[in-house]
Amino acid sequence: MLNRNRWKAAAALLMTFGMNVTTITPMLVAPLAAPAPAVAQTISFPDVPANHWASDYIRALVSQNILAGFPDGTFRPDAPVTRAEFSAMLRKVYQRGSIRSAINFVDVPSSHWAYDAIRRAYEMGFVSGYPDGIFLPEQNIPREQVLVALANGLNYQAAAPTEQVLGNFADSGAISNFARGPIAAATEKRMVVNYPNISYLNPGRNATRAEVAAFLYQALTSEGRVAALSSPYIANAQTVATNYRIAAGTSLPVSYMKEKILLMPDETLPVTFNVRNNITTTTGQVLIPAGSQVKGNLRPAGDKATQFVAQEIVMPDGSTRSLKATSSVITTTETVRKGADLGRLLKNTAIGTAAAAAISAVTGDRAIATEELLIGAGGGALLSLIDRFLGRNSIDVLVVQPETNLNLTLTDDFVVAAR
């Protein structure tokens, strides 16, 4: 079994490169023994026929001794690759200067077959480790992380707005926040190859050896190191932008960090909600990604009522747009009396400064000023407001529940450019 694992490590060494990551997936156990020497290879493989979508990429890199197959003569184009394998490939392809000093990862001992490759890939800026000094060398790498590694290592940045570029992909909402900028840059550099559907990036799926070959060849093309190959699966960032109009009256599902917000009827509070779901076209193209921030104020709306009025939306890439949207008028109230069960009332709750002052005055609990999440002027102002409510036996506070009674809708058409 050990000899078989050494053989696998040797072959895998020839088809790898690294990345920066922010999420941890289950680690696969693999041998730490040094790989056996590679054997001379032909550029033809029985499992990579001439009509295989990645055949040209694979043959081109094999002919330049950048890639090789397995000792049994196969290439295994659909097999996954690991972080150690990626690092070894990077070391083979790139001889760039160091941008930082190597570190000793606790799970990559000096006896590990890819120890030197991982150190060099890290020094060149292509790969990074996880918290607590681990590297997870045997972890399979998703497609988005491969592209992040290449874009970061080559120091590429998108010229066009990130969300505009990513609008080319029908599943752009599935791209992790950390990967959005680098993938936009990689798309502009024509490094992204999507088979079988050019419109779907499949960012979270593990990259295969064929896909890595395509990504790597396109990265080399972007540097002018190899001749460009023609492929119908290369994503194009130069498509004509289309303006999409999201009609007034469209609902924007939002969420908040707390289950509810308490405030006084005459209180105005600055609040930021998060868009809960992607807002998409009928074909699935993301126009407003989930996680976008809607900023505005809860404002008095008549007697014992409040309403959220949006002012702007901040997309995941940091771009900001004016947004005209309002919630329904919220009239839900709760009466707070002396002896109230504050544990129940304030559980998972954000409180406006005036509401906190009123509750503190009625119940005598001054800890609210320091122990609860206050919205508005803060604890100092709260203490100065308490006198306004002293002597009362009860007060009514408004209750906003973003998941149930907020009902945010556009009051004007929202036009957004997508690709």
Side-chain angles (χ1 to χ4, degrees):
M1 181 65 179
L2 180 58
N3 289 334
R4 178 175 179 271
N5 284 338
R6 286 181 175 174
W7 166 76
K8 288 176 61 181
L13 170 63
L14 300 172
M15 177 57 199
T16 57
F17 69 126
M19 76 186 129
N20 298 321
V21 294
T22 61
T23 57
I24 295 179
T25 57
M27 183 173 69
L28 302 179
V29 178
L32 302 184
V39 296
Q41 301 268 342
T42 178
I43 64 171
S44 297
F45 303 96
D47 54 351
V48 185
N51 63 353
H52 189 282
W53 72 268
S55 173
D56 289 345
Y57 296 119
I58 294 169
R59 293 172 188 274
L61 294 182
V62 170
S63 69
Q64 298 184 43
N65 296 317
I66 293 175
L67 299 184
F70 288 83
D72 64 356
T74 63
F75 186 81
R76 303 181 191 176
D78 297 326
V81 291
T82 68
R83 286 169 54 81
E85 293 169 351
F86 273 115
S87 299
M89 191 62 192
L90 278 173
R91 186 191 185 199
K92 186 176 180 67
V93 175
Y94 292 106
Q95 291 79 42
R96 302 169 69 89
S98 298
I99 64 170
R100 56 189 176 184
S101 299
I103 62 175
N104 293 317
F105 294 107
V106 297
D107 56 347
V108 185
S110 58
S111 59
H112 192 285
W113 66 268
Y115 173 79
D116 290 336
I118 291 170
R119 289 175 64 86
R120 279 299 297 137
Y122 178 87
E123 289 173 339
M124 291 186 290
F126 286 94
V127 301
S128 294
Y130 293 96
D132 300 323
I134 63 175
F135 186 78
L136 300 184
E138 315 309 331
Q139 183 186 63
N140 290 337
I141 301 176
R143 286 166 50 87
E144 69 174 1
Q145 295 177 355
V146 172
L147 292 168
V148 168
L150 286 173
N152 286 347
L154 297 175
N155 198 29
Y156 288 157
Q157 295 182 347
T162 294
E163 296 307 312
Q164 178 177 304
V165 176
L166 297 184
N168 283 289
F169 306 119
D171 56 351
S172 65
I175 302 173
S176 301
N177 287 340
F178 78 91
R180 301 185 77 82
I183 288 179
T187 303
E188 288 187 340
K189 293 291 186 178
R190 295 177 58 82
M191 292 163 51
V192 179
V193 183
N194 295 334
Y195 174 85
N197 190 331
I198 192 174
S199 297
Y200 285 85
L201 182 69
N202 292 307
R205 180 167 56 74
N206 286 339
T208 66
R209 284 166 53 84
E211 290 169 340
V212 168
F215 291 153
L216 181 55
Y217 190 93
Q218 289 302 111
L220 294 172
T221 302
S222 73
E223 299 178 280
R225 294 177 55 183
V226 295
L229 292 175
S230 176
S231 170
Y233 304 112
I234 299 173
N236 183 8
Q238 304 303 319
T239 54
V240 177
T242 301
N243 286 334
Y244 289 89
R245 185 180 302 276
I246 305 176
T250 300
S251 296
L252 294 180
V254 295
S255 59
Y256 188 61
M257 68 180 74
K258 296 290 186 178
E259 182 178 325
K260 59 184 178 180
I261 301 171
L262 302 183
L263 69 159
M264 297 301 290
D266 61 351
E267 193 168 9
T268 298
L269 298 180
V271 184
T272 298
F273 296 108
N274 291 322
V275 176
R276 190 164 65 243
N277 304 317
N278 289 330
I279 307 300
T280 68
T281 67
T282 55
T283 59
Q285 190 170 24
V286 176
L287 302 179
I288 300 179
S292 299
Q293 295 181 328
V294 178
K295 296 187 175 183
N297 293 295
L298 285 166
R299 302 176 181 177
D303 185 36
K304 292 187 177 181
T306 189
Q307 183 178 37
F308 178 75
V309 180
Q311 297 172 327
E312 65 180 15
I313 185 168
V314 182
M315 302 295 189
D317 67 348
S319 61
T320 301
R321 295 281 307 278
S322 175
L323 181 71
K324 294 183 179 180
T326 59
S327 73
S328 55
V329 174
I330 300 168
T331 58
T332 304
T333 61
E334 183 159 354
T335 301
V336 181
R337 297 182 173 85
K338 288 184 178 180
D341 182 0
L342 293 185
R344 179 197 62 80
L345 176 68
L346 303 181
K347 182 179 179 181
N348 200 21
T349 301
I351 314 173
T353 303
I359 294 171
S360 181
V362 169
T363 63
D365 187 346
R366 299 298 189 266
I368 295 175
T370 58
E371 294 180 358
E372 305 301 331
L373 175 63
L374 301 180
I375 308 175
L382 181 148
L383 296 175
S384 67
L385 289 171
I386 289 179
D387 289 345
R388 172 183 165 189
F389 302 99
L390 287 175
R392 298 192 187 185
N393 292 320
S394 66
I395 52 99
D396 290 331
V397 294
L398 288 166
V399 182
V400 177
Q401 297 172 302
E403 299 281 352
T404 58
N405 69 357
L406 191 68
N407 302 322
L408 185 64
T409 58
L410 294 177
T411 57
D412 201 356
D413 290 353
F414 183 72
V415 179
V416 59
R419 305 289 292 236

